[in-house]
Amino acid sequence: MASLKDVKMKISGVGKTKQITKAMNMVSSAKLRGAQSRIERFRPYADKFHEMLQDLASKTDSNVHPLLAARPEGKSVGIILVTSDRGLCGGFNVNLISAALKLANQKKAEGKSVKFLCIGRKGRDAIRKLGFDCDQDTTDGLGDFDFTSAARAGEKVIAAFLAEELDEAYLVYAEFVNMARQVPVTLGLLPMSTPKAGERGEAAADSGTTGTVDYIYEPDVGSLLAELLPRYLKVQVYRGLLDTSASEHAARMAAMDNATRNCDDIIKSLTLLYNKTRQATITTELIDIVSGADALK
């Protein structure tokens, strides 16, 4: 049986761990409020932009702009993977990496080469360990980003697509649905095409932006596409960064809450063990005293 000192040290250690997990839960909660507000303000704009570009692209020939040109014989695929820089957020990063690997393996089975552009150290480290070609973006992951961070990533993909280094481009990110649900989403970026059912994830479906609307465009379609298509890609990447940031804080908040509860359970069991050990020690001492008294008689 463990000594009283050992059990007391374990209780103290678990108590300090509980203080850390509780503090991290409070920090994630504070950060989540800001991140959730940002994505809720930006999501309607991104969804409407997506809807409008899909309508515009469907009404014009793919030869109008090079970013619309599909390449049936394309052999190279680019995947922008957005993950967090830090762990301690449950299976958040694992789910994102699994979704990206599923897409990568599917494309490899079709005989295509796959190259990753990773935003976030967790995704970069996992992809490199698996032997994929990985180019980390120059941004600091989700630690500190703005629209220029998304623009840099978008410009890299656009330049590679126009240079025919990439024939397809996809974005893998975590969509923030609610506090308890963050869904990995795979979004096709290039070439521009009509989205498949469910491609945008649950939040987009719940927002009511799936209806058809007749738009009147001015000036000509070619001029509009030349201006809007590059901006569209950057907007979608930025939306992925905002969604993933909110999802990360929600996942870490839930993970730290579970860790805090587990610490409470461990402390209770260790306290019970401490009391049992203390009672056994007292009983042993009493037996020794009684035995000594009987011996003296």
Side-chain angles (χ1 to χ4, degrees):
M1 183 176 291
S3 66
L4 287 174
K5 184 178 180 181
D6 291 339
V7 176
K8 200 169 184 178
M9 288 179 63
K10 288 182 179 179
I11 293 175
S12 176
V14 175
K16 292 178 180 178
T17 302
K18 177 184 173 182
Q19 292 178 351
I20 295 172
T21 57
K22 193 171 183 180
M24 292 185 67
N25 177 283
M26 295 173 65
V27 170
S28 296
S29 176
K31 289 183 176 180
L32 175 62
R33 285 193 291 271
Q36 184 177 358
S37 176
R38 291 173 71 186
I39 185 57
E40 287 178 349
R41 292 196 306 267
F42 189 78
R43 184 178 285 153
Y45 170 76
D47 287 337
K48 185 59 67 174
F49 201 162
H50 181 80
E51 177 188 340
M52 185 269 291
L53 256 293
Q54 292 291 347
D55 179 80
L56 180 60
S58 65
K59 294 179 179 179
T60 186
D61 190 86
S62 60
N63 296 324
V64 172
H65 196 280
L67 295 182
L68 293 174
R71 300 167 186 169
E73 303 300 325
K75 295 296 183 181
S76 58
V77 177
I79 301 175
I80 302 177
L81 173 60
V82 186
T83 59
S84 69
D85 287 327
R86 298 181 295 125
L88 299 177
C89 46
F92 172 75
N93 290 307
V94 174
N95 293 335
L96 283 170
I97 294 168
S98 298
L101 291 177
K102 180 180 179 181
L103 175 62
N105 292 328
Q106 177 185 340
K107 295 301 179 181
K108 287 184 68 176
E110 297 173 2
K112 301 178 180 180
S113 62
V114 178
K115 182 177 182 179
F116 280 88
L117 173 63
C118 295
I119 302 177
R121 285 193 290 270
K122 288 296 182 179
R124 177 204 62 184
D125 295 342
I127 294 302
R128 285 182 175 174
K129 286 180 181 179
L130 294 172
F132 285 95
D133 186 7
C134 178
D135 177 20
Q136 186 189 20
D137 190 24
T138 55
T139 65
D140 185 23
L142 300 182
D144 182 20
F145 68 92
D146 52 20
F147 189 79
T148 58
S149 303
R152 285 196 296 268
E155 287 168 0
K156 283 186 178 182
V157 174
I158 292 173
F161 187 83
L162 294 178
E164 299 188 357
E165 297 174 3
L166 295 177
D167 300 306
E168 299 176 45
Y170 295 87
L171 174 66
V172 179
Y173 66 97
E175 184 175 53
F176 178 79
V177 180
N178 52 49
M179 290 288 296
R181 189 166 177 77
Q182 302 86 40
V183 183
V185 173
T186 300
L187 174 65
L189 294 176
L190 294 173
M192 188 76 176
S193 60
T194 303
K196 298 178 182 179
E199 186 183 46
R200 291 313 303 264
E202 297 179 14
D206 294 340
S207 64
T209 60
T210 57
T212 58
V213 179
D214 289 330
Y215 295 97
I216 299 175
Y217 300 104
E218 187 178 320
D220 62 282
V221 173
S223 300
L224 283 172
L225 290 175
E227 175 66 27
L228 294 180
L229 277 176
R231 186 179 301 179
Y232 159 79
L233 191 142
K234 297 170 187 176
V235 164
Q236 300 309 317
V237 174
Y238 185 57
R239 182 252 178 86
L241 290 174
L242 290 175
D243 254 316
T244 306
S245 176
S247 297
E248 177 197 359
H249 296 312
R252 183 171 291 110
M253 184 177 171
M256 291 301 100
D257 187 54
N258 290 334
T260 302
R261 287 200 297 268
N262 289 338
C263 286
D264 287 332
D265 294 339
I266 293 173
I267 289 174
K268 287 180 181 178
S269 63
L270 287 174
T271 302
L272 180 61
L273 176 62
Y274 177 83
N275 292 333
K276 287 182 178 180
T277 303
R278 181 170 175 272
Q279 186 64 46
T281 302
I282 293 172
T283 302
T284 302
E285 291 176 352
L286 286 175
I287 291 174
D288 289 342
I289 293 172
V290 172
S291 298
D294 290 341
L296 290 175
K297 289 180 181 179

Coordinates of all heavy atoms in Angstrom, one line a residue, residues 55-145:
D55 N -23.2 31.0 -59.7 CA -24.2 31.3 -60.7 C -23.5 32.0 -61.9 O -23.9 31.7 -63.1 CB -25.2 32.3 -60.1 CG -26.3 32.8 -61.1 OD1 -27.2 32.0 -61.3 OD2 -26.1 33.9 -61.6
L56 N -22.6 32.9 -61.7 CA -21.9 33.5 -62.8 C -21.1 32.5 -63.6 O -21.1 32.6 -64.9 CB -21.0 34.6 -62.2 CG -20.2 35.4 -63.2 CD1 -21.1 36.2 -64.2 CD2 -19.3 36.4 -62.5
A57 N -20.4 31.6 -62.9 CA -19.6 30.6 -63.7 C -20.4 29.7 -64.5 O -20.0 29.2 -65.6 CB -18.7 29.9 -62.7
S58 N -21.6 29.4 -64.0 CA -22.5 28.4 -64.7 C -23.1 29.0 -66.0 O -23.6 28.3 -66.8 CB -23.6 27.9 -63.8 OG -24.5 29.0 -63.4
K59 N -23.1 30.3 -66.1 CA -23.7 31.0 -67.2 C -22.7 31.4 -68.3 O -23.0 32.1 -69.2 CB -24.5 32.2 -66.8 CG -25.7 31.9 -65.9 CD -26.4 33.1 -65.4 CE -27.6 32.8 -64.6 NZ -28.3 34.0 -64.1
T60 N -21.4 31.0 -68.1 CA -20.4 31.4 -69.1 C -19.6 30.2 -69.5 O -19.6 29.2 -68.8 CB -19.5 32.5 -68.4 OG1 -18.6 33.0 -69.4 CG2 -18.7 32.0 -67.3
D61 N -18.8 30.4 -70.5 CA -17.9 29.3 -71.0 C -16.7 29.3 -70.1 O -16.2 30.3 -69.7 CB -17.6 29.6 -72.5 CG -16.9 28.4 -73.1 OD1 -17.6 27.5 -73.6 OD2 -15.6 28.4 -73.0
S62 N -16.2 28.1 -70.0 CA -15.0 27.9 -69.1 C -13.7 28.5 -69.7 O -12.7 28.7 -69.0 CB -14.7 26.4 -68.9 OG -14.5 25.7 -70.1
N63 N -13.8 28.8 -71.0 CA -12.6 29.4 -71.6 C -12.5 30.9 -71.3 O -11.5 31.6 -71.7 CB -12.6 29.2 -73.1 CG -12.5 27.7 -73.5 OD1 -11.8 27.0 -72.8 ND2 -13.2 27.3 -74.5
V64 N -13.5 31.5 -70.7 CA -13.5 33.0 -70.4 C -12.3 33.3 -69.5 O -11.7 34.4 -69.6 CB -14.8 33.4 -69.9 CG1 -14.8 34.9 -69.4 CG2 -15.9 33.2 -70.9
H65 N -12.0 32.5 -68.5 CA -11.0 32.7 -67.5 C -10.2 31.5 -67.3 O -10.8 30.4 -67.1 CB -11.6 33.3 -66.2 CG -10.6 33.9 -65.3 ND1 -9.8 33.2 -64.5 CD2 -10.3 35.3 -65.2 CE1 -9.0 34.1 -63.9 NE2 -9.3 35.3 -64.2
P66 N -8.9 31.5 -67.1 CA -8.1 30.3 -66.9 C -8.4 29.6 -65.6 O -8.2 28.3 -65.5 CB -6.7 30.8 -66.9 CG -6.7 32.2 -66.7 CD -8.0 32.7 -67.3
L67 N -8.9 30.3 -64.6 CA -9.3 29.6 -63.3 C -10.5 28.8 -63.4 O -10.8 28.0 -62.5 CB -9.4 30.6 -62.2 CG -8.2 31.4 -61.9 CD1 -8.5 32.4 -60.7 CD2 -7.0 30.5 -61.5
L68 N -11.3 28.9 -64.5 CA -12.5 28.1 -64.8 C -12.2 26.8 -65.6 O -13.0 25.9 -65.7 CB -13.5 28.9 -65.5 CG -14.2 30.1 -64.7 CD1 -15.1 30.8 -65.6 CD2 -14.9 29.6 -63.5
A69 N -11.0 26.8 -66.2 CA -10.7 25.7 -67.2 C -10.4 24.4 -66.4 O -9.5 24.3 -65.7 CB -9.5 26.1 -68.0
A70 N -11.3 23.4 -66.7 CA -11.1 22.1 -66.1 C -10.0 21.4 -67.0 O -10.0 21.5 -68.2 CB -12.4 21.3 -66.1
R71 N -9.3 20.5 -66.3 CA -8.2 19.8 -67.0 C -8.5 18.3 -66.7 O -8.0 17.7 -65.7 CB -6.8 20.2 -66.5 CG -6.5 21.7 -66.7 CD -5.3 22.1 -65.9 NE -5.1 23.6 -66.0 CZ -4.3 24.3 -65.3 NH1 -3.6 23.6 -64.4 NH2 -4.2 25.6 -65.5
P72 N -9.2 17.6 -67.7 CA -9.6 16.2 -67.4 C -8.4 15.3 -67.3 O -8.5 14.3 -66.6 CB -10.4 15.9 -68.7 CG -10.8 17.2 -69.3 CD -9.8 18.2 -68.9
E73 N -7.3 15.7 -67.9 CA -6.1 14.8 -67.8 C -5.1 15.3 -66.7 O -3.9 14.9 -66.8 CB -5.4 14.8 -69.2 CG -6.3 14.3 -70.3 CD -6.8 12.9 -70.1 OE1 -6.0 12.1 -69.5 OE2 -7.9 12.6 -70.5
G74 N -5.6 16.1 -65.8 CA -4.7 16.7 -64.8 C -4.1 15.6 -63.9 O -4.8 14.6 -63.6
K75 N -2.9 15.8 -63.6 CA -2.2 14.8 -62.8 C -1.7 15.4 -61.4 O -1.0 14.6 -60.7 CB -0.9 14.3 -63.6 CG -1.3 13.6 -64.8 CD -2.1 12.3 -64.5 CE -2.4 11.5 -65.8 NZ -3.2 10.3 -65.5
S76 N -1.9 16.6 -61.1 CA -1.4 17.2 -59.8 C -2.6 17.8 -59.1 O -3.4 18.5 -59.6 CB -0.3 18.2 -60.1 OG -0.8 19.2 -60.9
V77 N -2.6 17.6 -57.8 CA -3.6 18.1 -56.9 C -3.0 18.9 -55.7 O -2.0 18.4 -55.1 CB -4.5 17.0 -56.3 CG1 -5.5 17.5 -55.4 CG2 -5.1 16.2 -57.5
G78 N -3.5 20.1 -55.4 CA -3.0 20.8 -54.3 C -4.1 20.8 -53.2 O -5.3 21.0 -53.5
I79 N -3.7 20.6 -51.9 CA -4.6 20.6 -50.8 C -4.2 21.6 -49.8 O -3.0 21.5 -49.2 CB -4.7 19.2 -50.2 CG1 -5.2 18.2 -51.2 CG2 -5.7 19.2 -49.0 CD1 -5.2 16.8 -50.7
I80 N -5.0 22.6 -49.5 CA -4.7 23.6 -48.4 C -5.3 23.0 -47.1 O -6.5 22.8 -47.0 CB -5.3 24.9 -48.7 CG1 -4.8 25.5 -50.0 CG2 -5.0 25.9 -47.5 CD1 -5.4 26.9 -50.3
L81 N -4.5 22.6 -46.2 CA -4.9 22.0 -44.9 C -4.7 23.0 -43.8 O -3.6 23.5 -43.5 CB -4.1 20.7 -44.6 CG -4.3 20.1 -43.3 CD1 -5.8 19.6 -43.1 CD2 -3.4 18.9 -43.1
V82 N -5.8 23.3 -43.1 CA -5.8 24.3 -42.0 C -6.0 23.6 -40.7 O -7.0 22.9 -40.5 CB -6.9 25.3 -42.2 CG1 -6.8 26.4 -41.1 CG2 -6.9 26.0 -43.6
T83 N -5.0 23.6 -39.9 CA -5.0 23.0 -38.5 C -4.6 24.0 -37.5 O -4.2 25.2 -37.8 CB -4.1 21.7 -38.4 OG1 -2.8 22.1 -38.7 CG2 -4.6 20.7 -39.4
S84 N -4.5 23.6 -36.3 CA -4.0 24.5 -35.2 C -2.5 24.4 -35.0 O -1.9 23.4 -35.6 CB -4.7 24.2 -33.9 OG -4.3 22.9 -33.4
D85 N -1.9 25.3 -34.3 CA -0.5 25.2 -34.0 C -0.2 24.4 -32.7 O 0.9 23.9 -32.5 CB 0.1 26.7 -33.8 CG 0.2 27.4 -35.2 OD1 0.5 26.7 -36.2 OD2 0.1 28.6 -35.2
R86 N -1.2 24.4 -31.9 CA -1.0 23.8 -30.6 C -2.0 22.6 -30.4 O -3.0 22.5 -31.1 CB -1.2 24.8 -29.4 CG -0.2 25.9 -29.4 CD -0.5 26.9 -28.3 NE -1.8 27.6 -28.4 CZ -2.7 27.6 -27.5 NH1 -2.5 26.9 -26.3 NH2 -3.8 28.2 -27.6
G87 N -1.7 21.7 -29.5 CA -2.6 20.6 -29.2 C -3.5 20.8 -28.1 O -4.0 21.9 -27.9
L88 N -3.7 19.8 -27.3 CA -4.6 19.9 -26.1 C -6.0 20.3 -26.5 O -6.7 21.0 -25.8 CB -4.1 20.8 -25.1 CG -2.7 20.4 -24.5 CD1 -2.3 21.5 -23.5 CD2 -2.8 19.1 -23.8
C89 N -6.5 19.8 -27.7 CA -7.9 20.1 -28.1 C -8.6 18.8 -28.6 O -9.3 18.9 -29.6 CB -7.9 21.2 -29.2 SG -6.7 21.0 -30.5
G90 N -8.3 17.7 -27.9 CA -9.0 16.5 -28.3 C -8.6 16.0 -29.6 O -7.5 16.0 -30.0
G91 N -9.6 15.4 -30.3 CA -9.4 14.9 -31.7 C -9.5 15.9 -32.8 O -9.7 15.5 -34.0
F92 N -9.5 17.2 -32.5 CA -9.7 18.2 -33.5 C -8.7 18.1 -34.7 O -9.2 18.0 -35.8 CB -9.6 19.6 -32.8 CG -9.6 20.8 -33.7 CD1 -10.8 21.2 -34.3 CD2 -8.4 21.5 -34.0 CE1 -10.8 22.3 -35.1 CE2 -8.5 22.5 -34.9 CZ -9.7 22.9 -35.4
N93 N -7.5 18.1 -34.4 CA -6.5 18.1 -35.5 C -6.5 16.7 -36.2 O -6.3 16.6 -37.4 CB -5.1 18.4 -34.9 CG -4.9 19.9 -34.5 OD1 -5.2 20.7 -35.3 ND2 -4.5 20.1 -33.3
V94 N -6.7 15.7 -35.4 CA -6.7 14.3 -36.0 C -7.8 14.2 -37.0 O -7.6 13.6 -38.1 CB -6.8 13.2 -34.9 CG1 -7.0 11.9 -35.5 CG2 -5.7 13.3 -33.9
N95 N -9.0 14.7 -36.7 CA -10.1 14.6 -37.7 C -9.8 15.4 -38.9 O -10.1 15.0 -40.0 CB -11.3 15.2 -37.0 CG -11.8 14.3 -35.9 OD1 -11.5 13.1 -35.8 ND2 -12.6 14.9 -34.9
L96 N -9.2 16.6 -38.8 CA -8.8 17.4 -40.0 C -7.8 16.7 -40.8 O -7.9 16.6 -42.1 CB -8.3 18.7 -39.6 CG -9.3 19.8 -39.1 CD1 -8.6 21.0 -38.5 CD2 -10.2 20.2 -40.3
I97 N -6.7 16.1 -40.2 CA -5.7 15.4 -40.9 C -6.2 14.2 -41.6 O -5.9 13.9 -42.7 CB -4.5 15.1 -40.0 CG1 -3.9 16.4 -39.5 CG2 -3.5 14.2 -40.7 CD1 -2.9 16.2 -38.3
S98 N -7.1 13.5 -40.9 CA -7.7 12.3 -41.5 C -8.5 12.6 -42.8 O -8.5 11.9 -43.8 CB -8.6 11.6 -40.5 OG -7.8 11.1 -39.4
A99 N -9.3 13.7 -42.7 CA -10.1 14.1 -43.9 C -9.2 14.5 -45.0 O -9.4 14.1 -46.2 CB -11.0 15.3 -43.5
A100 N -8.1 15.2 -44.7 CA -7.1 15.6 -45.8 C -6.4 14.3 -46.4 O -6.3 14.2 -47.6 CB -6.1 16.5 -45.3
L101 N -6.1 13.4 -45.5 CA -5.4 12.1 -46.0 C -6.4 11.3 -46.8 O -6.0 10.6 -47.8 CB -4.9 11.4 -44.8 CG -3.7 12.0 -44.1 CD1 -3.3 11.1 -42.9 CD2 -2.5 12.1 -45.1
K102 N -7.6 11.3 -46.4 CA -8.6 10.5 -47.2 C -8.7 11.1 -48.6 O -8.7 10.3 -49.6 CB -10.0 10.6 -46.5 CG -11.1 9.9 -47.3 CD -12.4 10.0 -46.5 CE -13.5 9.3 -47.3 NZ -14.8 9.4 -46.6
L103 N -8.7 12.4 -48.8 CA -8.8 13.0 -50.1 C -7.5 12.8 -50.8 O -7.5 12.4 -52.0 CB -9.0 14.5 -49.9 CG -8.9 15.4 -51.2 CD1 -10.0 14.9 -52.2 CD2 -9.0 16.9 -50.9
A104 N -6.3 12.9 -50.2 CA -5.0 12.6 -50.8 C -4.9 11.2 -51.3 O -4.4 11.0 -52.4 CB -3.9 13.0 -49.8
N105 N -5.3 10.3 -50.5 CA -5.2 8.9 -50.9 C -6.1 8.5 -52.1 O -5.8 7.7 -53.0 CB -5.5 7.9 -49.7 CG -4.4 8.0 -48.7 OD1 -3.3 8.2 -49.0 ND2 -4.8 7.8 -47.4
Q106 N -7.3 9.2 -52.1 CA -8.2 9.0 -53.2 C -7.6 9.5 -54.5 O -7.7 8.9 -55.5 CB -9.5 9.8 -52.9 CG -10.6 9.7 -54.0 CD -11.8 10.6 -53.7 OE1 -12.1 10.9 -52.6 NE2 -12.5 11.0 -54.7
K107 N -7.0 10.7 -54.4 CA -6.4 11.3 -55.6 C -5.1 10.4 -56.1 O -4.9 10.3 -57.3 CB -5.9 12.7 -55.4 CG -7.1 13.7 -55.1 CD -8.1 13.7 -56.3 CE -9.3 14.6 -56.0 NZ -10.2 14.6 -57.2
K108 N -4.4 9.9 -55.1 CA -3.3 9.1 -55.5 C -3.7 7.8 -56.1 O -3.0 7.3 -57.0 CB -2.4 8.8 -54.2 CG -1.6 9.9 -53.7 CD -0.7 9.5 -52.5 CE 0.4 8.6 -52.9 NZ 1.3 8.3 -51.8
A109 N -4.9 7.3 -55.7 CA -5.4 6.1 -56.3 C -5.8 6.3 -57.8 O -5.8 5.4 -58.6 CB -6.6 5.6 -55.5
E110 N -6.1 7.6 -58.1 CA -6.4 8.0 -59.4 C -5.2 8.2 -60.3 O -5.3 8.7 -61.4 CB -7.3 9.2 -59.4 CG -8.7 8.9 -58.8 CD -9.5 10.2 -58.6 OE1 -9.0 11.3 -59.1 OE2 -10.6 10.2 -58.1
G111 N -4.0 8.1 -59.7 CA -2.8 8.3 -60.4 C -2.3 9.7 -60.4 O -1.5 10.1 -61.3
K112 N -2.8 10.5 -59.5 CA -2.4 11.9 -59.4 C -1.4 12.2 -58.3 O -1.5 11.5 -57.2 CB -3.6 12.8 -59.2 CG -4.7 12.7 -60.3 CD -5.9 13.5 -60.1 CE -6.9 13.3 -61.2 NZ -8.1 14.2 -61.0
S113 N -0.5 13.1 -58.5 CA 0.4 13.5 -57.4 C -0.3 14.6 -56.5 O -1.1 15.4 -57.0 CB 1.7 14.1 -58.0 OG 1.4 15.3 -58.7
V114 N 0.1 14.6 -55.2 CA -0.6 15.4 -54.3 C 0.5 16.3 -53.6 O 1.5 15.8 -53.1 CB -1.3 14.6 -53.2 CG1 -2.0 15.5 -52.2 CG2 -2.4 13.7 -53.9
K115 N 0.2 17.6 -53.5 CA 1.0 18.5 -52.7 C 0.2 19.3 -51.7 O -0.9 19.7 -52.0 CB 1.7 19.5 -53.7 CG 2.7 20.5 -53.0 CD 3.4 21.4 -54.0 CE 4.3 22.3 -53.3 NZ 5.1 23.2 -54.3
F116 N 0.7 19.4 -50.5 CA 0.0 20.1 -49.4 C 0.5 21.5 -49.2 O 1.7 21.7 -49.3 CB 0.1 19.3 -48.1 CG -0.8 18.1 -48.0 CD1 -0.5 16.9 -48.5 CD2 -2.1 18.3 -47.5 CE1 -1.3 15.8 -48.4 CE2 -3.0 17.2 -47.4 CZ -2.6 15.9 -47.8
L117 N -0.4 22.4 -48.9 CA 0.0 23.7 -48.4 C -0.6 23.7 -47.0 O -1.8 23.8 -46.8 CB -0.6 24.8 -49.2 CG -0.4 26.2 -48.7 CD1 1.1 26.6 -48.6 CD2 -1.1 27.3 -49.6
C118 N 0.2 23.6 -45.9 CA -0.3 23.5 -44.6 C -0.2 24.8 -43.8 O 0.8 25.5 -43.8 CB 0.6 22.5 -43.8 SG 0.4 20.8 -44.5
I119 N -1.4 25.2 -43.3 CA -1.4 26.4 -42.4 C -1.7 25.8 -41.0 O -2.8 25.4 -40.7 CB -2.6 27.3 -42.8 CG1 -2.4 27.8 -44.3 CG2 -2.7 28.5 -41.9 CD1 -3.5 28.6 -44.8
G120 N -0.7 25.9 -40.2 CA -0.7 25.3 -38.8 C 0.3 24.2 -38.7 O 0.5 23.3 -39.5
R121 N 1.0 24.2 -37.5 CA 2.2 23.3 -37.3 C 1.7 21.9 -37.2 O 2.5 20.9 -37.6 CB 3.0 23.8 -36.1 CG 3.8 25.0 -36.4 CD 4.9 25.2 -35.3 NE 4.2 25.6 -34.1 CZ 4.0 26.9 -33.8 NH1 4.4 27.8 -34.6 NH2 3.5 27.2 -32.6
K122 N 0.6 21.6 -36.6 CA 0.1 20.2 -36.3 C -0.1 19.5 -37.7 O 0.3 18.4 -37.8 CB -1.1 20.2 -35.5 CG -0.9 20.6 -34.0 CD -0.1 19.6 -33.3 CE 0.1 20.0 -31.9 NZ 0.9 19.0 -31.1
G123 N -0.7 20.2 -38.6 CA -0.9 19.6 -39.9 C 0.4 19.4 -40.7 O 0.6 18.3 -41.3
R124 N 1.2 20.4 -40.6 CA 2.5 20.3 -41.3 C 3.3 19.1 -40.8 O 3.9 18.4 -41.6 CB 3.3 21.6 -41.1 CG 4.7 21.6 -41.7 CD 5.6 22.6 -41.0 NE 5.8 22.3 -39.6 CZ 6.5 23.0 -38.8 NH1 7.0 24.2 -39.2 NH2 6.6 22.7 -37.5
D125 N 3.4 19.0 -39.5 CA 4.3 17.9 -38.9 C 3.7 16.5 -39.3 O 4.5 15.6 -39.6 CB 4.3 18.1 -37.4 CG 5.0 19.3 -36.9 OD1 5.8 19.9 -37.8 OD2 4.9 19.7 -35.8
A126 N 2.4 16.4 -39.2 CA 1.8 15.1 -39.6 C 2.0 14.7 -41.0 O 2.3 13.6 -41.4 CB 0.3 15.1 -39.2
I127 N 1.8 15.7 -41.9 CA 1.9 15.5 -43.4 C 3.3 15.1 -43.7 O 3.6 14.2 -44.5 CB 1.4 16.7 -44.1 CG1 -0.1 16.9 -43.9 CG2 1.7 16.5 -45.6 CD1 -1.0 15.7 -44.3
R128 N 4.3 15.8 -43.2 CA 5.7 15.6 -43.5 C 6.1 14.2 -43.0 O 6.9 13.5 -43.6 CB 6.6 16.6 -42.8 CG 6.5 18.0 -43.6 CD 7.5 19.0 -43.0 NE 7.5 20.2 -43.8 CZ 8.1 21.3 -43.5 NH1 8.8 21.4 -42.3 NH2 8.1 22.4 -44.2
K129 N 5.6 13.7 -41.8 CA 6.0 12.4 -41.3 C 5.4 11.3 -42.2 O 6.0 10.2 -42.3 CB 5.4 12.2 -39.9 CG 6.1 13.0 -38.8 CD 5.5 12.8 -37.5 CE 6.2 13.5 -36.4 NZ 5.6 13.3 -35.0
L130 N 4.3 11.6 -42.9 CA 3.7 10.6 -43.8 C 4.4 10.6 -45.2 O 4.0 9.8 -46.1 CB 2.2 10.8 -43.9 CG 1.4 10.6 -42.6 CD1 0.0 11.0 -42.8 CD2 1.5 9.1 -42.3
G131 N 5.3 11.5 -45.4 CA 6.1 11.5 -46.7 C 5.5 12.3 -47.8 O 6.0 12.2 -49.0
F132 N 4.4 13.1 -47.6 CA 3.8 13.9 -48.6 C 4.7 15.2 -48.8 O 5.3 15.7 -47.9 CB 2.4 14.3 -48.3 CG 1.4 13.2 -48.5 CD1 1.0 12.4 -47.4 CD2 0.8 12.9 -49.7 CE1 0.1 11.4 -47.5 CE2 -0.1 11.9 -49.8 CZ -0.4 11.1 -48.7
D133 N 4.6 15.7 -50.1 CA 5.2 17.0 -50.4 C 4.4 18.1 -49.7 O 3.2 18.2 -49.9 CB 5.2 17.2 -51.9 CG 6.0 18.5 -52.3 OD1 6.6 19.1 -51.4 OD2 6.0 18.8 -53.5
C134 N 5.1 18.8 -48.8 CA 4.4 19.8 -48.0 C 5.1 21.1 -48.0 O 6.3 21.2 -47.8 CB 4.3 19.3 -46.5 SG 3.4 20.4 -45.4
D135 N 4.3 22.2 -48.3 CA 4.8 23.5 -48.3 C 4.1 24.3 -47.2 O 2.9 24.5 -47.3 CB 4.6 24.2 -49.6 CG 5.1 25.6 -49.6 OD1 5.9 26.0 -48.7 OD2 4.7 26.4 -50.5
Q136 N 4.8 24.7 -46.1 CA 4.1 25.4 -45.0 C 4.0 26.9 -45.5 O 4.9 27.5 -45.9 CB 4.9 25.3 -43.7 CG 4.1 26.0 -42.6 CD 4.9 26.1 -41.3 OE1 6.1 26.0 -41.4 NE2 4.3 26.3 -40.2
D137 N 2.8 27.4 -45.2 CA 2.5 28.8 -45.5 C 3.3 29.7 -44.6 O 3.7 29.2 -43.5 CB 1.0 29.1 -45.4 CG 0.7 30.5 -46.0 OD1 1.4 31.0 -46.8 OD2 -0.3 31.0 -45.6
T138 N 3.6 30.9 -45.0 CA 4.4 31.8 -44.2 C 3.6 32.4 -43.0 O 4.2 33.1 -42.1 CB 4.9 33.0 -45.0 OG1 3.8 33.6 -45.6 CG2 5.8 32.5 -46.1
T139 N 2.3 32.1 -42.9 CA 1.5 32.7 -41.8 C 1.9 31.9 -40.5 O 2.4 30.8 -40.5 CB 0.0 32.5 -42.1 OG1 -0.3 31.1 -42.1 CG2 -0.4 33.1 -43.4
D140 N 1.5 32.5 -39.4 CA 1.7 31.9 -38.1 C 0.5 31.1 -37.7 O 0.0 31.2 -36.6 CB 2.0 33.0 -37.0 CG 2.4 32.4 -35.7 OD1 2.8 31.2 -35.6 OD2 2.1 33.1 -34.7
G141 N 0.1 30.2 -38.6 CA -1.1 29.4 -38.3 C -2.3 30.2 -37.9 O -2.6 31.2 -38.5
L142 N -2.9 29.7 -36.8 CA -4.1 30.4 -36.3 C -3.8 31.3 -35.2 O -4.7 31.9 -34.5 CB -5.2 29.4 -35.9 CG -5.6 28.5 -37.1 CD1 -6.7 27.5 -36.5 CD2 -6.2 29.3 -38.2
G143 N -2.5 31.5 -34.9 CA -2.1 32.3 -33.7 C -2.4 33.8 -34.0 O -3.0 34.5 -33.1
D144 N -2.1 34.3 -35.1 CA -2.3 35.7 -35.5 C -2.5 35.8 -37.0 O -1.5 35.7 -37.7 CB -1.1 36.5 -35.0 CG -1.3 38.0 -35.2 OD1 -2.5 38.4 -35.4 OD2 -0.4 38.8 -35.2
F145 N -3.7 36.0 -37.5 CA -3.9 36.0 -38.9 C -4.9 37.1 -39.2 O -5.7 37.5 -38.4 CB -4.4 34.7 -39.4 CG -5.7 34.3 -39.0 CD1 -6.9 34.6 -39.7 CD2 -5.9 33.6 -37.8 CE1 -8.1 34.2 -39.3 CE2 -7.2 33.2 -37.3 CZ -8.3 33.5 -38.1

